[in-house]
Structures are given as structure tokens and as C-alpha cells.
Amino acid sequence: MGLLGLFARKPHERAGFELYAAAVGAARDPALFGSLAVPDTLEGRFDLVSLHAGLLVCRIARDPDPRAKDLAQAVFDAMFADMAVNLREMGVGDLAVGKRVKRMWEAFHGRAQAYDKALRAGDLAALTEALDRNVWRGRAPPGAAGALAAHAAAADAALAAQPFDRLVAGAVRFPGDAA
């Protein structure tokens, strides 16, 4: 590989960042922190970004299109590049960033798998339980985890209905997005 190869873009890199940015936008919906009482903390925000990005990555990965694996990886890469930048901006030293990102990756992966498994099984109770455990650490206000599970199920259905070519172009709509 020549020197210019070091600067080449990865497949779907731009689309990955655009899709990830849309997931972050959906995760920042004020209603999630207001009426659903998701803690407005670093952990609460991470949980909502993980939920929305996880729904998106799982939707992409399920698509039979041969580009799906690379596009899902591009969204994942964008997410963790952003997480590393944010950790550095918060003052985490370079030596600790890798360890923190690894723990975040493990948390994301476990959450995404649990949410996707419940959604694929149509098990809203399991999704509600997983969200209560992860977002509120088992102490969700009455009805909040169920409402977030309904929100996640609606987002999952909306993502499934979107054409893959739109996703490859970096365009996605979550429920509640402005037109």
C-alpha cells in the first residue's frame, strides 16, 4: 500500500457518519429525558445513543444487500470514533481512552443484542426489562421503561420500512424526525 492508501476513505464512511448523526439526533429528543425521565447524565445519553444506533446497525446488518456488512461497520466506526473524541474532550488521557472505548463497545454490543433479540421475537416485555435494567439500572419510573420499549419498537419498524438504498446514501428517518 502506498502512502496515499493511508488517506483513502473506507467504504461507506461518509454515509456511516451521516447515519450515526441521525441516530444521535433521535437520541437527543427532549421527550425522552422529560416525560420518560431518562437520566440526563453521560450514562443516560450513552444509553439512548446506544439504543438508537443499535437499532440502526441491526436493521442494516439484517439487510440481504451485499453492502450491508460494510455499511453497518461504517456506522459502528463512526459511533466509536465520536465516543473517543468526546472522551478526549472531557479530559480523559490518551492512554485511558482505549480502555474506556472498549468498555463502551462491550456495553453497546450487549445492549444491541438484547434489544434486537427481544424485537425479533416480538417480546415487548423482554425489551422493557432490558431497557429498565440498562437505562434506569432497574429503577425506572412507573411506565417509563414500557414507553421507551414502545418508542424503540416504533423506531425499529420505521427503520425496517426504509429502503436500503436510502441508508447507503446516508439518509434515515427516525419517528419524530422533522420532514
Side-chain angles (χ1 to χ4, degrees), residues 62-117:
R62 280 192 308 276
D63 202 282
D65 190 290
R67 300 170 291 178
K69 180 180 177 188
D70 288 339
L71 183 58
Q73 185 65 50
V75 175
F76 177 85
D77 291 348
M79 178 178 180
F80 285 94
D82 182 55
M83 295 293 170
V85 166
N86 283 307
L87 286 170
R88 285 184 178 91
E89 287 177 353
M90 292 178 347
V92 175
D94 285 339
L95 294 176
V97 167
K99 291 177 185 175
R100 297 271 298 267
V101 167
K102 181 181 179 193
R103 285 195 305 267
M104 293 167 85
W105 176 88
E106 290 168 347
F108 169 78
H109 189 258
R111 285 164 170 77
Q113 282 189 322
Y115 303 155
D116 193 54
K117 180 180 177 184

Side-chain angles (χ1 to χ4, degrees), residues 1 5 24 33 41 68 84 87 98 112 147:
M1 168 171 62
V24 170
F33 298 98
T41 61
L87 286 170

Side-chain angles (χ1 to χ4, degrees), residues 38-62:
V38 171
D40 193 3
T41 61
L42 286 174
E43 293 84 7
R45 288 174 182 239
F46 173 78
D47 284 319
L48 288 180
V49 169
S50 292
L51 172 63
H52 290 84
L55 292 170
L56 180 58
V57 167
C58 288
R59 184 277 180 243
I60 293 168
R62 280 192 308 276

Side-chain angles (χ1 to χ4, degrees), residues 121-137:
D123 191 346
L124 203 57
L127 181 59
T128 299
E129 181 181 317
L131 289 166
D132 179 38
R133 179 178 60 250
N134 293 320
V135 176
W136 292 277
R137 311 305 183 253

